[in-house]
Amino acid sequence: LAAADQIGEEFMRRGLRLTGQRAAVVRALVGLSGSFSVHELWLASRRNAAGLGIATVYRTLDLLVEMGAVQRVHGRDNCESFVMSQDEHKHVVVCRRCGATCELPDIGCTDFIADASRRTGFRIDDHLIQLAGVCPRCEKEQF
Amino acid sequence: LAAADQIGEEFMRRGLRLTGQRAAVVRALVGLSGSFSVHELWLASRRNAAGLGIATVYRTLDLLVEMGAVQRVHGRDNCESFVMSQDEHKHVVVCRRCGATCELPDIGCTDFIADASRRTGFRIDDHLIQLAGVCPRCEKEQF
DNA sequence: GTAAGTGCAAAACATTTGCACGAAT
DNA sequence: ATTCGTGCAAATGTTTTGCACTTAC
């Protein structure tokens, strides 16, 4: 996919080496649909690079988050999932059943945030908005 | 505080015993302003109950979350903070500097969520909205 | 050639659990 | 009395780190 190449270039741009292991993680990343755990990403990456250590996945994931290619998904309790983020900063809807995700533009929540700022007096400069539910496909497949 | 008593009653109502340790945790809880970690709650609770084990704090915190008296606070990365929640389900604004929190009513985000549902086709039944910024007090205290 | 990256194993944490003892009803 | 709750310590699971070895540049 083109997305993988784009991320690869971003590594270079930042003066980071695009090693075989990092490329393997990135290729696995774009192959995974929806949200995933570190462990899942590790398993998927290993198919592209035998013997890949999980520590490398953690280290690469840190970089990917830092460069905005991946973002953390927060559940009501657990927060150990991630998703690839197509663009800059988007909100995400996660399917509680299959983990599928869908992104949403910022537009629409600005009023809400401005109002919150007005009510509380806080200077609000960051927000975490994540919706959860059931995706159309799972909805159709009955229970 | 009255809040502590109210939570104490909720324990009884659920057929749970209001032990000295649980009361100590609750008293510490209402004393803490803003968000706190498990460890911080443990330290504060110990002042009310010497020798209190951290396992008990974890267990009590689970109950408090279950009964809606406390909710988890999600940061962009770490998710190990909690806040006391006055009412049912509210959104929270957290001060990145001092951890102070302020709650917001659901009203205002319903349009946004309805729109998200329309756009994505998901049946959305849960949402996590947490804003971050700087509180008025910290803002005044310069840098 | 050299700095950056990797795998491995150990360490560091955070959280949960089993169990014998103590406390509340 | 009997059940429920607690402390302790061990177990668990996850993430980080130190270090010798390797690799991309």
Side-chain angles (χ1 to χ4, degrees):
Chain A
L1 277 86
D5 294 342
Q6 236 173 306
I7 295 174
E9 279 167 33
E10 184 60 25
F11 272 97
M12 317 283 261
R13 203 170 301 129
R14 293 181 178 234
L16 299 167
R17 294 183 185 171
L18 183 52
T19 61
Q21 289 90 332
R22 285 177 180 171
V25 172
V26 171
R27 236 174 317 135
L29 171 68
V30 301
L32 287 170
S33 65
S35 54
F36 54 86
S37 65
V38 175
H39 194 259
E40 285 168 346
L41 181 58
W42 182 44
L43 293 179
S45 304
R46 273 160 78 95
R47 278 186 239 118
N48 304 326
L52 183 96
I54 198 168
T56 297
V57 175
Y58 274 104
R59 291 188 271 230
T60 305
L61 205 40
D62 276 353
L63 297 173
L64 290 168
V65 168
E66 205 171 302
M67 61 177 66
V70 164
Q71 65 179 104
R72 197 176 275 267
V73 173
H74 303 258
R76 184 124 327 261
D77 334 281
N78 79 342
C79 301
E80 53 252 14
S81 290
F82 295 83
V83 261
M84 204 181 145
S85 51
Q86 270 76 31
D87 281 309
E88 203 58 16
H89 162 77
K90 287 217 176 153
H91 305 135
V92 87
V93 193
V94 186
C95 175
R96 115 175 44 274
R97 212 157 291 164
C98 71
T101 55
C102 221
E103 296 202 332
L104 295 165
D106 266 17
I107 316 147
C109 65
T110 47
D111 285 354
F112 169 65
I113 292 173
D115 187 49
S117 181
R118 209 172 308 120
R119 278 171 193 268
T120 63
F122 276 53
R123 174 162 58 77
I124 296 173
D125 53 19
D126 194 14
H127 59 269
L128 176 65
I129 300 189
Q130 302 196 335
L131 311 181
V134 181
C135 73
R137 182 203 296 259
C138 285
E139 188 78 313
K140 242 182 289 178
E141 282 175 9
Q142 221 53 353
F143 88 131
Chain B
L1 275 84
D5 295 341
Q6 235 173 308
I7 296 174
E9 280 168 31
E10 185 60 25
F11 271 97
M12 316 283 261
R13 203 170 302 129
R14 292 181 178 235
L16 299 166
R17 292 183 186 170
L18 184 51
T19 61
Q21 289 91 330
R22 286 177 178 169
V25 172
V26 171
R27 231 170 325 131
L29 172 68
V30 301
L32 287 170
S33 65
S35 55
F36 53 86
S37 64
V38 174
H39 195 259
E40 285 168 345
L41 181 58
W42 181 45
L43 293 179
S45 304
R46 275 160 77 95
R47 278 186 240 117
N48 304 327
L52 182 96
I54 198 169
T56 296
V57 176
Y58 275 104
R59 292 187 273 229
T60 305
L61 204 41
D62 276 352
L63 297 173
L64 291 168
V65 168
E66 207 171 302
M67 62 176 67
V70 163
Q71 65 180 104
R72 195 176 277 268
V73 173
H74 303 259
R76 187 132 315 270
D77 337 282
N78 78 344
C79 301
E80 50 252 16
S81 290
F82 295 83
V83 262
M84 203 179 146
S85 53
Q86 271 76 31
D87 281 311
E88 203 58 16
H89 161 77
K90 288 221 177 149
H91 304 134
V92 87
V93 194
V94 185
C95 176
R96 115 175 47 275
R97 211 157 290 164
C98 71
T101 56
C102 221
E103 297 201 335
L104 294 164
D106 267 18
I107 315 147
C109 65
T110 47
D111 285 355
F112 170 66
I113 291 172
D115 188 48
S117 181
R118 210 173 307 119
R119 278 171 194 267
T120 62
F122 276 54
R123 174 162 57 76
I124 296 174
D125 53 19
D126 194 14
H127 60 269
L128 176 64
I129 299 188
Q130 301 196 336
L131 310 180
V134 181
C135 73
R137 183 202 296 258
C138 285
E139 189 77 314
K140 242 181 289 179
E141 282 175 9
Q142 220 56 352
F143 92 132

